[in-house]
Amino acid sequence: MSGFWARTMLSAYRFAGAAAYPLVGPYVAWRTSQGKEDRNRRRERYGVAGRARPDGPVIWIHAASVGETIAVVPLVESILDYGVNIVLTTGTVTSAQVADERLGDRIIHQYVPLDLKPAVSRFLDHWQPDLAIIAESEIWPMTILELGARRVPQVLVNGRLSDRSFKSWKKRANIAEALFENLAHVVAQSDVDGERFLALGARPVTVSGNLKVDTSPPPVDERVLATLRRQIGARPTWAAISTHDGEEVVAAEVHATLHKRHHGLLTIVVPRHPDRAEALAAQISGMGLKVARRSKGDRITADTDILLGDTIGEMGLYLRLTEIAFVGRSLTSEGGQNPLEPAMLDTAVLAGRNVQNFREAYQRLLDSGGAKLVRDRDMLAGAVNFLLTNEVARHEMMAAGVATVDEMRGALARTLKSLEPYIQPLVVKSRLKGANGR
C-alpha cells in the first residue's frame, strides 16, 4: 500500500476519533492526563524543543511511562557507552522524574510530541534523529509515517501486542501493514508477540525476551527503610502493589479478614495512581481501619492497619518491607502489572487471573512456583493466610521467583545485538566528527 493511501486511511480513522486507534500513544495520553502536565514544558508537546540539538549523531529513544522508562534505562546506558547523543522522550511527569533520577544530564529529556503532523514535523526538524528506538507498544501513525518519509530507521524494542491490541489491528490489516512496513526492525518480548508482529506485516522480527528482566531492582533510601522497619518491628506484613480501582478495597477487606488470625498484621497498599490517595484513605478509614499515609510522613504505630504507599518512586521501599506481594490490575481490572520487580526482590508473588499484558513473565513464574494466581477476594485472603502461616512454603516461592528472573535475563544483550547494524554506523560517524573536531 502506498504512503498516500496509508495517510488517507489513517486520516479517516483520526477523524473518526481516538478510539479508532488500536495502540495510539501521545495524543490520547496527553488528553487524559491534563492537569498532570509540567506546565513550564507544555510547548514540548507541540514539538517545540526545550534544548539545542547537540553536534553529531542523535538517537531518539521513546518510553511512554514509568515502566517503559525503567525498562530502557540499561539500554540507554549501554548506548551512551558508545558516545552517541540520546534524546529520550517520555509521556508523563512521573516518567520524566525517573529519567532524571536514573540518567540525569547524560541524556536530553523531552516530552513526546503529540501525534499530529505539525508537532511531529517540528520535533523532527529540530532534532534530526539518525535513529528512532521506540519501546514496547507505542504505535503512532503520524510519527511513524513522518519518520518513514525522512528515511529515519525505526526500531521497536521490547515490543509487545496485547490480545486486545492484536485483535484490533487485525481488523485494520491494511493500515497495520502500511505502518509496520516503515519499521526497520521489531525486537519482540516473546515468541507470541513476534508472531503477531509478523502477521501484521512487520519485517524483520526477532525475539529478545523482556528488557524489564535485565533492570536492576528498584532502589531504596536505606535510612528511610531502616526507620520504617523499626516502626513495624516484628509485625507480619503483606502488600498489594500497583493496584487499580477496587483492588485497594479488596486488600482492606483481606486485612479485616486476617488481622485477628495474624496478630499485628500490617497491610501495605500501593496504588498505581497516587493521586487517588485522598479518596482511598477516606474510603478505607470508613471501613474502621487506621491508615498511615507515606506521603504525609505518618508514623506507623501499633494500631496502624494500612500503610498507604501514596508516593512515586518508592516501590523499592515498599517491596523491601514484606515477603508477600499481590500485584494489581489483575482482579478488578485487566492486563496485569509487572511481576518481575517483586520477584527479583525476594517476594512471593500473587495476582488475579487477568494478566495478559505480562503473560510470559507470569507463565514462567507460575511454572517455577514463584507466583500464584487467585480468582477473587476470598481466594486472595486464603493465599495470603497460607503464606503468612507457612514460612517454608513462603521462602520456597521467594527463592523460585529470584531464580526465574535470573533464568530470564539476557534480553538486553539480544536487543543490543539486533540494534548493532543501526548503531555502529553512528558510532563511526561520531568518532570521525570528534577526530575532525580536534
Side-chain angles (χ1 to χ4, degrees):
M1 177 180 290
S2 70
F4 170 78
W5 284 111
R7 288 173 185 271
T8 301
M9 294 174 72
L10 289 166
S11 295
Y13 277 103
R14 183 176 292 107
F15 180 77
Y21 287 94
L23 283 176
V24 171
Y27 185 66
V28 174
W30 178 77
R31 288 296 301 273
T32 56
S33 64
Q34 292 186 64
K36 303 175 189 176
E37 288 284 298
D38 184 340
R39 294 183 178 275
N40 295 327
R41 298 176 60 184
R42 182 173 289 179
R43 283 163 57 86
E44 291 174 23
R45 294 293 197 182
Y46 299 93
V48 179
R51 299 270 297 276
R53 185 195 190 281
D55 292 334
V58 167
I59 296 177
W60 171 25
I61 299 179
H62 175 67
S65 57
V66 172
E68 291 86 354
T69 303
I70 292 172
V72 301
V73 165
L75 179 64
V76 170
E77 291 176 329
S78 296
I79 295 174
L80 286 171
D81 288 342
Y82 291 121
V84 180
N85 300 304
I86 291 179
V87 173
L88 175 67
T89 58
T90 64
T92 65
V93 173
T94 51
S95 53
Q97 292 170 348
V98 169
D100 181 60
E101 290 168 2
R102 303 204 178 189
L103 296 167
D105 59 5
R106 290 181 290 166
I107 53 98
I108 297 173
H109 176 270
Q110 297 283 277
Y111 284 107
V112 69
L114 303 176
D115 195 39
L116 302 171
K117 189 178 188 332
V120 174
S121 295
R122 198 174 291 118
F123 178 89
L124 296 178
D125 285 345
H126 178 81
W127 294 109
Q128 299 177 35
D130 298 273
L131 171 65
I133 299 174
I134 304 164
E136 297 213 9
S137 57
E138 288 285 290
I139 307 299
W140 323 321
M142 183 54 69
T143 301
I144 287 176
L145 293 172
E146 287 300 307
L147 284 166
R150 296 170 188 240
R151 301 188 180 282
V152 177
Q154 306 173 63
V155 181
L156 183 67
V157 300
N158 218 37
R160 65 180 176 87
L161 281 173
S162 67
D163 297 344
R164 185 176 181 180
S165 295
F166 180 56
K167 182 179 179 181
S168 194
W169 276 120
K170 283 183 68 178
K171 292 178 181 177
R172 304 166 177 86
N174 288 337
I175 291 180
E177 184 177 355
L179 287 174
F180 291 144
E181 69 182 8
N182 286 276
L183 299 177
H185 200 124
V186 172
V187 187
Q189 286 188 22
S190 69
D191 291 333
V192 171
D193 292 309
E195 290 168 3
R196 289 177 173 180
F197 279 110
L198 285 169
L200 294 173
R203 301 286 190 281
V205 175
T206 55
V207 176
S208 66
N210 194 335
L211 279 176
K212 291 176 179 176
V213 183
D214 283 359
T215 59
S216 300
V220 67
D221 184 321
E222 293 292 344
R223 291 176 297 178
V224 173
L225 177 61
T227 298
L228 293 189
R229 280 178 170 167
R230 282 195 300 271
Q231 293 177 10
I232 295 170
R235 297 174 62 179
T237 65
W238 76 286
I241 66 169
S242 300
T243 52
H244 285 243
D245 190 25
E247 291 172 332
E248 297 87 5
V249 171
V250 168
E253 290 172 343
V254 169
H255 176 90
T257 299
L258 298 180
H259 81 281
K260 290 182 180 178
R261 187 173 302 181
H262 300 279
H263 179 70
L265 178 65
L266 177 70
T267 295
I268 303 163
V269 177
V270 187
R272 176 69 172 174
H273 302 292
D275 57 333
R276 299 170 52 232
E278 195 73 36
L280 288 174
Q283 189 175 20
I284 295 172
S285 296
M287 298 169 64
L289 301 175
K290 183 173 180 180
V291 178
R293 291 182 59 180
R294 169 72 184 133
S295 66
K296 303 288 188 183
D298 295 342
R299 182 178 177 82
I300 301 171
T301 58
D303 59 348
T304 299
D305 294 293
I306 307 290
L307 170 60
L308 187 57
D310 55 346
T311 54
I312 294 170
E314 290 195 312
M315 187 62 75
L317 170 66
Y318 302 124
L319 287 173
R320 286 174 172 87
L321 294 175
T322 188
E323 294 181 344
I324 305 167
F326 164 79
V327 183
R329 199 184 176 187
S330 58
L331 268 184
T332 63
S333 298
E334 293 189 0
Q337 296 287 172
N338 180 17
L340 298 172
E341 285 187 345
M344 69 177 64
L345 278 176
D346 256 352
T347 308
V349 174
L350 302 173
R353 295 181 173 182
N354 303 312
V355 293
Q356 301 90 332
N357 291 352
F358 295 88
R359 180 186 286 109
E360 185 180 22
Y362 272 105
Q363 191 60 61
R364 295 286 293 271
L365 287 168
L366 290 168
D367 289 345
S368 71
K372 179 179 176 61
L373 300 186
V374 298
R375 180 178 58 252
D376 52 27
R377 177 196 61 193
D378 292 341
M379 194 172 176
L380 174 60
V384 173
N385 177 62
F386 174 80
L387 291 172
L388 287 171
T389 305
N390 295 274
E391 183 177 359
V392 172
R394 183 172 74 248
H395 286 175
E396 286 177 350
M397 275 190 76
M398 293 159 56
V402 172
T404 300
V405 171
D406 287 341
E407 290 171 3
M408 292 174 66
R409 294 189 187 277
L412 176 60
R414 289 187 285 270
T415 300
L416 285 168
K417 184 176 181 180
S418 296
L419 287 170
E420 190 173 342
Y422 309 99
I423 294 177
Q424 280 304 321
L426 304 183
V427 173
V428 173
K429 182 178 177 182
S430 179
R431 289 174 179 170
L432 286 175
K433 183 173 182 59
N436 291 335
R438 290 196 298 270

